[in-house]
Every structure is written in structure tokens, then in C-alpha cells.
Amino acid sequence: MKLQVDRHAASPIAQQLEESIRHWIQENGAGGRRLPSIRRLAADLNISRNAVIDAYERLVAIGLVRSRPGSGFFISDGAAVTPQPSLASTPLQEVTNGLWGLFSANEYSLKLGCGWLPNAWRESEYLTYAIRQVARKSQSGIFEYSTPQGLQELRSLIQERLRPLAISASAEQIVMTSGGSHSLDLLVRMLLEPGDVVFVESPGYYNLFGLLHLQRVRVIGIPRLTDGPDINRLEALLAEHRPKLFYVNSVFHNPTGSTLTPATAHRVLQLAEQYDFTIVEDDIYADFQHTPTTRLAALDGLKRVIYLSSFSKTLTSSLRVGFIAAPPSLVQRLVDIKMLTSISSSRFAEQVLITLLQNGSYRKLTERLRTRLSNQMALALTQLKQVGWEVFTEPAGGMFVWAKSPVEKEALMASARRFDIMLSPSHLFFPDNQTTSWLRLNIAYLQDPRAKAFIAANGNQGNTSK
């Protein structure tokens, strides 16, 4: 059995080893054959035993390998008869493979392309206090399900939080979820059938693309410009297709950092009326914005627009709390699907958030976070421009800048590996997986010495000196 791993590749060693063994099994069969011992394989490939254990356990999980206590790991009988598809063989697997790379990276790697804040930025004392309060005062918060729609008290607090955005929604129009991705999943299940046409922004949110492929819908990309979706392209494609849904990330767009302008927002709504499609407005970065700008849900009054947001980006990735504000006619359907798929969201998480909203902790935390992100964005834009990186637009805040190095992509990726930097696979931000030299950079990590060295080494001056 000849296996290969590349210690300098972006994907984790365990993942490479799993793929290599899986491909060998599918090509050679040999059901019942004993695999090399963990110690031997680690020594042969000069990798850690933990990486081998991880790879073997993944193969056990998908049924290609069986573990026999005291004897080792063996290829399952008939494993080659029904081969597993390559991780990169479908758009859905492209997305999950890319996410796996970020989540399973070495803990010491710098996740410059990730979509979350560094742990060092988190203010744990507020969260710890709220958790203690819930644990001390509310047994129901620890042991019981939440209500299917979410706690009334929290929905009322969110209703008030939407007022500064000029979004008028009653507490009865709000459905609590377990974060932004859960909201998208519920909406995809409720609104779409296989074969439906959906418009998405390109580049855009790759996890959404995976959910849409899972539902077997037709996904068509609308170019994202600095002021929002490309209206001319949108209008041309609307004349050709009849989409059921258009997904728009209005503020601090992922990955470009751009923000929807009022003129573009009005035109999108006019086209939605003319061509009769629904808009899902993703606003999970709302609390990163100092001064609210135009929201589609505010202009539309939640008629054609379904609005979603989340507290997971600002508060913690582990406390999954999001919500959907929808037209009254859709609320019960949403709640029904939520009950069937997850029963309810976390009562404990909802009560912790209630505590943080009521005692002012969340407001103070987000005020400091907005200021810090704005300062880091200014530093990042200066840092990139000084060494010749091209910037798509200059965001006023948020986490992301969409940038392009003057260095060729292959050399850039090799440089990232040398600096132990993890980048998001850029092709995943496009629904058709198109090749691109643009990168999503998380500005919260750009002042790390490794990031500074990487940016400088791959700018004009760094490239010239090579």
C-alpha cells in the first residue's frame, strides 16, 4: 500500500491520509485486509500518531474500515463495490471540504481567511456572568426545550432592536433559530423545491451554495459590485429566468465587505415586484455597523423580503442564536419546519442572550467591537495598499476585505503554507466554482506578525526582492 501526504499542503495531514487510503481501497478492494498499525504508518510517513488515528476513525465512520479491538483496523468486506465519491466531485462536497480545512487546521495556524473573530477579542466576563445568572435563577433554562418559535421575551427585545434599522416587525413575526446557517436551512426547506431557480450574489456565501445544492435547485450568480448586486446583469438574467428567490447580503457583504446603497436597494425591490420573486436579506453583520444604512426589509415592510440576522458573530460562535423576521403568512410554516427538524432552538442560549440584552452588556460589547473593527479595517487597508495589493472596495467596518496580491496565485499559496497561514478557498465564493486570484482576508487577524510578513512578502516590494 503506497500512500502519500504533503506536509506543506493547505489541507490537514489527517484529511490527506484519509483520502489517500480511501482511494487505494476503492481501486484495489481487498476486503478484510489489515491496515498498517498506527505506530508503523506514522513512522513510515513521518507524521504524528494522532493524524493516523484521526484518518482511521474517519474511515470507520463512513464504513470503509472496521476496528477490531486488540487486532487493529481492517478494510470492510465489499468496500470497493460501492465506492465513495471524491470529496471534490460535487459542489456540495467542495463546500464541506473547504470548511473542513478551516475547522480542522492546526490550532497554531493563523486562520487569515476564516469568518469569525479571534478568541483574544472575546470579552468572556460578560458571558460568564450571564451564564451564571441563568444557571442560578432558571432550572427551565438548563433542562427544558424553548418554545418552538422562541422565547417571547427575547422576540420582544429583538423587535425593539430592529426599530433603529427602520424595520417594523412584531414579536409574532420573529422566529428564533440556532444561528444564521440554521435560518438559511429553514428558509431553503420552506421556500424551494428541486428544480427551482435561485439567484445568489457572486462572489457570495459558500455555505448557502452548499445548502442550495443539497436541495437540488438551479443556482445562478449575480455579480456583486461595490454598491450591491449588478443591476444590469440582474435585469438581463431576470428576463431569461424566473427565479423563485434572490439572496442578498446587505451590509459588510461576505466576502467583499461592500454595503448595499439606497439606489440599488430600491431598484432590486422594483425588479422583485416586476418579476415576482422573494428576497432573503442576510444581515448577520448588522451589529458591526456604526450608523445604520438602508435595509431591503425596511423599504419593503417585510412583504417580499424575509430578513435574518444572528448574534453568533458578535457574541460567540458557540452560543448559537439567530432569528428570522418574516411576513405573518410564513411564520407558522417556519415554526412547523423548525419543530420537525430540530424541535426548538436552545432555551439556555436564548436566556443567556436575554440577560446580556437587558443588563446592557451586549450593547457595550458591540460598541467596543465596532470601534475596534473600524480601526483594524483602516490599518488593514493602509497595510495592503502600501505593498501593492489591490482592494475591491474600502469597507467602513466589518470583518472582511476582498483583496488581490500582485503575486501569482500558485506562489501565493506556497507562501501561505510557509507562514503557516490558512486561507479560505476563493473559488468556493462563486456558485460556479470559478478560478479567481481574489482572497477574503479577515482584518481581525491582519496585525499578527505572520500576516504582516505574508502580506509584505507577496506585495510589489516582496515580489521584486525574490
Side-chain angles (χ1 to χ4, degrees), residues 119 121-132 365:
N119 289 342
W121 282 41
R122 305 296 189 179
E123 299 185 21
S124 60
E125 62 273 16
Y126 290 120
L127 186 59
T128 302
Y129 172 80
I131 290 171
R132 286 201 304 265
L365 182 152

Side-chain angles (χ1 to χ4, degrees), residues 1-4 18-31 33 59 64 75-76 78-86:
M1 177 183 287
K2 294 183 179 180
L3 304 174
Q4 292 184 339
E18 179 225 338
E19 291 177 14
S20 187
I21 295 173
R22 177 161 45 80
H23 292 156
W24 188 93
I25 291 173
Q26 290 164 5
E27 290 174 2
N28 296 278
R33 179 173 174 174
L59 292 163
L64 288 181
I75 299 171
S76 299
V81 176
T82 56
Q84 299 287 325
S86 166

Side-chain angles (χ1 to χ4, degrees), residues 236-309:
L237 286 171
L238 283 169
E240 183 180 352
H241 305 278
R242 289 285 177 171
K244 199 168 186 179
L245 194 70
F246 183 26
Y247 170 94
V248 179
N249 183 186
S250 50
V251 171
F252 299 147
H253 172 257
N254 179 11
T256 69
S258 61
T259 293
L260 188 69
T261 62
T264 301
H266 279 286
R267 188 61 184 135
V268 169
L269 288 173
Q270 289 172 352
L271 291 171
E273 185 69 27
Q274 180 181 348
Y275 289 93
D276 191 26
F277 60 86
T278 299
I279 298 170
V280 172
E281 182 175 26
D282 184 338
D283 200 18
I284 65 170
Y285 305 109
D287 287 334
F288 290 155
Q289 193 177 35
H290 281 286
T291 304
T293 54
T294 303
R295 263 55 173 194
L296 291 162
L299 297 175
D300 170 74
L302 291 177
K303 296 174 184 174
R304 287 190 174 275
V305 176
I306 301 172
Y307 178 90
L308 68 90
S309 191

